[in-house]
Amino acid sequence: MSDLLAHVPHTRLVPEGSYGPEGKAGVRARQVLGLAVATLTARKGKAADLARRLCAAGLPLVDAPKAVSTMAFTTIGTGPGRWLILAEGMTGTALLAHLGSLAGADATLTDQSDANLIVEVTGPDARATLAKGVAVDLHPSAFGAGDAATTVVSHVGVTFWQSDAAPAYRFMVARSFAPAFLRWLTASAAEFGIALSGTGRG
Amino acid sequence: MRIPCPYCGSRDAHEFAYLGDATLTRPDPAASDAAEAFHAYAYLRENPEGAHREYWYHANGCRRWLVVTRNTRTHEILGVAFARPSTDEVPA
Ligand SMILES: [Zn+2]
């Protein structure tokens, strides 16, 4: 397995394609594109007010490591009074303007749309693959759809959440660390076969 | 060793940075023995056996400071709380 990624420069994303035994894809991974991302941090003493107001406006904020999705938004708790907000079909600028109009002076906002790479991991061997690097219990009795965690995988900081009971997981990784994360994912999933898409041809 | 973070849940110790003794109080700089008191505050440490209160920073998690009560012989975690209790409470 040591030469699996020998041809891929360490500075580039692992190119889309199949890795591991031919004709097997126990794991599927794809880069999720087209999401606007912002961080929202409540100002001191304002978290409860803010959450109440934004919930009423259709933006559910739960002060816990949870991922909550509506038609338009996903909110993910990353720390007390701190969330990631994801939106589909919207620019980062538009998302920030929308959040700013709701939060007013009760929160600080930053546009993170360009900062991260989001990878969705699915397939029957997704859990067995993630067990090699995620030191959070992903057994369905401990972690299910709607649960989120900010942690470290193979020395790379990530925020991830389970987006579907199937299971499907979405990992958000700082863009400059994405090549290292994808190398870890590809090498860890290779014994099951992994079909990787959305990362370009290298 | 795993530390049950009040926000994140059970996490491996390597996600945290260790600062040390959480039982110390910063001395009064105006006191007549301030120099001696600050020397003790900055440099002198007990090496207690058993339960000990310590600061741990959840660097690769929620990025909050915790006070962890740890048994120094067994690494059993006896209690965890945010170092600075939040004034915020968000309804579930
Ligand atoms: Zn934490």
Side-chain angles (χ1 to χ4, degrees), chain A residues 56-113:
Chain A
L59 201 84
L61 295 183
V62 180
D63 207 9
K66 298 283 177 190
V68 186
S69 290
T70 64
M71 288 291 277
F73 302 102
T74 299
T75 71
I76 297 149
T78 56
R82 226 174 50 226
W83 296 269
L84 279 168
I85 317 288
L86 284 73
E88 229 165 309
M90 196 184 249
T91 65
T93 311
L95 175 60
L96 226 62
H98 178 64
L99 295 174
S101 72
L102 294 175
D106 289 349
T108 50
L109 299 163
T110 53
D111 185 359
Q112 299 287 338
S113 303

Side-chain angles (χ1 to χ4, degrees), chain B residues 5-9 11 15-16 58 61-64 66 82:
Chain B
C5 171
Y7 184 86
C8 302
R11 293 302 181 83
E15 289 189 4
F16 299 80
H58 199 181
C62 61
R63 293 188 265 155
R64 288 287 296 256
L66 310 179
F82 290 124

